[in-house]
Amino acid sequence: MATDVKVPTLGESITEATVGQWLKQPGDAVQADEPIASLETDKVSVEVNSPVAGTLSEQLVKEGDTVAVGAVIARVGEGGAAAPAPAAAAPAAAPAEATVAGAPVNPAGAGENVRPREEDDPAPQTAPTGDAALTLSPAVRRAVLEHHVDPSTIKGSGKDGRLTKDDVIAAAQAKKTESAPAAAAAVAPAATAAPAPSGERKEERVKMSRLRQTIAQRLKDAQNTAALLTTFNDVDMTAVIDARARYKDLFEKKHGIRLGFMGFFVKAVALAARDVPSVNARIEGDEIVYSDYLDVSVAVSAPKGLVVPVIRSADRMSFAEIEQAIAAYGKKAKDGTLSMDEMKGGTFTISNGGVFGSLLSTPIINPPQSAVLGMHRIEDRPVVRDGQVVVRPMMYLALSYDHRLIDGREAVTFLVRVKEAIEDPTRLLIDL
């Protein structure tokens, strides 16, 4: 008797998802609560677990299909015997699918490189490592598939020895380095005999993920709905850089986390929002909703696009709590494990394009929020201080805001307050 595998509840207001990847193929043995598929929603990736132990007998949808909450996407049969191979498959042909540590790879006809099956039986979803099992997150599984490495041979650097995406990439690079001389020697004669045609022009079409579609739609909606305007200023980072240099070792020793720039800016925004509360407000119909708390959405780059996890009540948090929250969210975004609750809400956004080298930009607000602060790279520039031209580490700041709610005077005042707090961090301590 087969058991139906249904799409689980995905969160408030989310009714459908896209099948991102099948983690198990028909005939594979599965354990109860073992992931068999990965779904992509508008915000995060969600794993679908098998409700019972047995054998995956049937896949009812394909990768890329859209499925509704509660829909049946697969069936799990009793027992652990593998299902017989299709009759149409030729014994001498290349294997239709390969398995790397239990994660399926598409057939070669789908346009992806595959590795021949090394064993007749599929490898289990978890590979034993000592007394513990090596459990792979969706992000790590994808990296294993892309780089064709054996996860059981890699030492994990994550919590409890778990593998991270960086571990897989490092192992793949080491493998490439070792095999480069032999590969170059093997390829060189072929390249001499049959040089690749010059001037070849190619195109590739890739379907947008649900996350990318949602990002595109929300950004366009913001442009169509809000009266967007951006005001700029620059800030001397000397005081913050000196404070970090003076206290970074003590801070890390006490709190177990590095002291970054974001904590200073979150604190500065909280201070400035008290003087200009409209930047922390939103429009609902014909009403303005003011918040007496500051929930900061911090834009984080994830493998599949930009995500904005929310630091709740950031105005009431210490520097250490802010930095710890940001570090935890950054790791989750990288591993693809952010939950929808962690990205809901937010009253103000901070986006740091400086980590990618951006000098200046005009960020777009994250509806229904009314303002976003853009940080940029720090670079030494000549400025005038006390009548003398000196070199200072300077950063451009950009505040994009909804002009329907925030006047130009208020936007400029807010940005000046942030600038003053960063150039004189003592203001953050004495609430000026």
Side-chain angles (χ1 to χ4, degrees):
M1 179 178 177
T3 301
D4 291 343
V5 180
K6 299 181 179 181
V7 177
T9 301
L10 301 172
E12 183 181 356
S13 76
I14 298 180
T15 59
E16 61 182 20
T18 300
V19 180
Q21 182 184 17
W22 280 105
L23 307 177
K24 290 288 187 179
Q25 295 297 315
D28 288 352
V30 296
Q31 301 297 321
D33 295 325
E34 183 179 4
I36 64 171
S38 175
L39 303 180
E40 293 180 358
T41 70
D42 293 348
K43 296 182 178 180
V44 294
S45 293
V46 178
E47 289 184 339
V48 180
N49 298 331
S50 173
V52 296
T55 301
L56 183 63
S57 58
E58 188 178 4
Q59 294 175 350
L60 302 181
V61 294
K62 298 181 295 184
E63 292 183 358
D65 286 354
T66 298
V67 293
V69 172
V72 179
I73 62 173
R75 291 190 174 93
V76 177
E78 296 179 353
E97 62 181 25
T99 305
V100 181
V105 181
N106 288 335
E112 298 183 8
N113 295 326
V114 298
R115 186 175 68 178
R117 189 186 298 273
E118 295 179 355
E119 297 177 349
D120 293 332
D121 296 327
Q125 179 68 26
T126 56
T129 305
D131 296 330
L134 179 63
T135 302
L136 307 180
S137 69
V140 175
R141 288 194 200 97
R142 285 192 292 271
V144 167
L145 293 173
E146 291 171 2
H147 298 284
H148 304 294
V149 296
D150 183 355
S152 63
T153 64
I154 306 172
K155 183 178 180 181
S157 62
K159 184 178 180 181
D160 299 327
R162 290 180 180 270
L163 283 184
T164 67
K165 185 177 179 182
D166 289 341
D167 295 333
V168 175
I169 293 175
Q173 290 175 344
K175 183 178 178 182
K176 287 181 180 179
T177 302
E178 294 173 358
S179 61
V187 171
T192 303
S198 59
E200 186 176 0
R201 291 152 57 89
K202 295 182 179 180
E203 290 183 346
E204 180 183 5
R205 292 182 181 270
V206 180
K207 186 177 179 180
M208 293 175 67
S209 67
R210 291 186 65 86
L211 176 60
R212 176 52 59 185
Q213 292 179 46
T214 301
I215 292 172
Q217 184 62 48
R218 287 177 63 85
L219 293 179
K220 190 58 183 173
D221 287 346
Q223 286 186 320
N224 294 339
T225 304
L228 290 177
L229 192 62
T230 304
T231 185
F232 303 93
N233 214 319
D234 61 0
V235 58
D236 187 341
M237 296 293 293
T238 301
V240 168
I241 291 175
D242 289 346
R244 289 183 68 220
R246 187 179 305 118
Y247 299 114
K248 65 178 182 180
D249 293 337
L250 289 174
F251 187 89
E252 185 171 3
K253 182 178 180 180
K254 181 175 181 179
H255 301 290
I257 192 74
R258 293 180 61 190
L259 177 61
F261 290 119
M262 190 60 76
F264 288 92
F265 278 93
V266 171
K267 284 289 190 181
V269 165
L271 192 66
R274 295 179 188 175
D275 292 341
V276 189
S278 58
V279 300
N280 195 40
R282 67 184 185 275
I283 294 177
E284 286 188 0
D286 59 355
E287 296 179 332
I288 299 175
V289 181
Y290 292 92
S291 303
D292 67 350
Y293 53 86
L294 179 69
D295 287 351
V296 178
S297 302
V298 180
V300 178
S301 179
K304 293 188 178 180
L306 192 71
V307 293
V308 279
V310 180
I311 303 176
R312 312 284 178 187
S313 300
D315 53 323
R316 299 179 177 92
M317 298 174 70
S318 66
F319 277 89
E321 290 170 333
I322 293 171
E323 295 295 348
Q324 287 167 347
I326 292 171
Y329 281 148
K331 186 178 185 305
K332 285 187 174 183
K334 191 174 183 180
D335 294 339
T337 57
L338 277 172
S339 69
M340 283 166 286
D341 286 340
E342 291 171 326
M343 292 185 286
K344 288 195 307 185
T347 59
F348 186 89
T349 294
I350 299 179
S351 179
N352 185 7
V355 296
F356 305 109
S358 173
L359 176 65
L360 195 61
S361 68
T362 55
I364 299 178
I365 64 174
N366 180 25
Q369 299 173 20
S370 299
V372 52
L373 178 68
M375 298 166 55
H376 301 88
R377 76 170 185 250
I378 302 171
E379 64 177 9
D380 289 339
R381 292 200 298 269
V383 294
V384 177
R385 295 288 185 268
D386 300 325
Q388 300 293 323
V389 177
V390 295
V391 176
R392 290 286 188 269
M394 305 296 294
M395 175 195 288
Y396 286 119
L397 298 178
L399 180 74
S400 290
Y401 58 97
D402 189 346
H403 210 347
R404 298 177 301 165
L405 172 61
I406 304 170
D407 294 331
R409 177 182 61 84
E410 293 177 311
V412 172
T413 299
F414 175 86
L415 202 53
V416 168
R417 293 288 182 272
V418 172
K419 171 184 171 72
E420 291 172 344
I422 295 299
E423 293 185 341
D424 183 10
T426 305
R427 289 172 174 266
L428 301 176
L429 301 176
I430 59 179
D431 197 14
L432 282 180

